[in-house]
Amino acid sequence: MPTSYRIAEAAALLGVSDDTVRRWIDSARLPARREGSGPATVDGADLARLATGLREAPEPGATPSSARNRLTGIVTRVVRDTVMAQVEIQAGPFRLVSLMSREAADELGLEIGVRAVATVKATQVSVDVP
């Protein structure tokens, strides 16, 4: 059974506004269908293809890495003590927290408002379905 999403659901999954999804539908970037006078829906496979295409290309000069989970965001909090630093990054709807040495945070110039890329490499990832 194919999965379909309403515009607001598709927008939430992609981390964009409802208006952005509507513009993509209007410009034929994202196919949608409407049955009668009901709400427009987007096929799950079409949404997945668009999501795959939205992946950010590595920044020019970026160091190649085997990690594929790179989330670009903005630093929202930095807590430093004498040895360690806790850095929070908001990447779209995702809040990521990294613990690193204070020296590393200082060398990277991590402060509130700085653009940063969180790279996640894990041996296990748990997936839940709502």
Side-chain angles (χ1 to χ4, degrees), residues 88-111:
E88 293 184 21
I89 297 172
Q90 191 69 37
F94 305 106
R95 176 180 160 261
L96 301 138
V97 179
S98 177
L99 297 176
M100 65 184 71
S101 70
R102 179 188 177 122
E103 180 180 11
D106 291 345
E107 286 177 3
L108 291 169
L110 295 176
E111 299 292 341

Side-chain angles (χ1 to χ4, degrees), residues 5 13 69 122-130:
Y5 298 94
L13 288 169
N69 301 312
T123 57
Q124 184 211 344
V125 175
S126 297
V127 176
D128 298 321
V129 176

Side-chain angles (χ1 to χ4, degrees), residues 36-102:
S37 62
T41 59
V42 176
D43 181 72
D46 292 329
L47 190 62
R49 276 189 286 281
L50 178 64
T52 301
L54 292 176
R55 289 183 189 149
E56 278 192 50
E59 303 221 1
T63 304
S65 171
S66 65
R68 298 292 182 250
N69 301 312
R70 297 173 52 85
L71 299 147
T72 301
I74 187 167
V75 175
T76 57
R77 185 169 184 240
V78 180
V79 178
R80 289 177 168 90
D81 66 17
T82 56
V83 177
M84 299 297 294
Q86 177 181 326
V87 179
E88 293 184 21
I89 297 172
Q90 191 69 37
F94 305 106
R95 176 180 160 261
L96 301 138
V97 179
S98 177
L99 297 176
M100 65 184 71
S101 70
R102 179 188 177 122

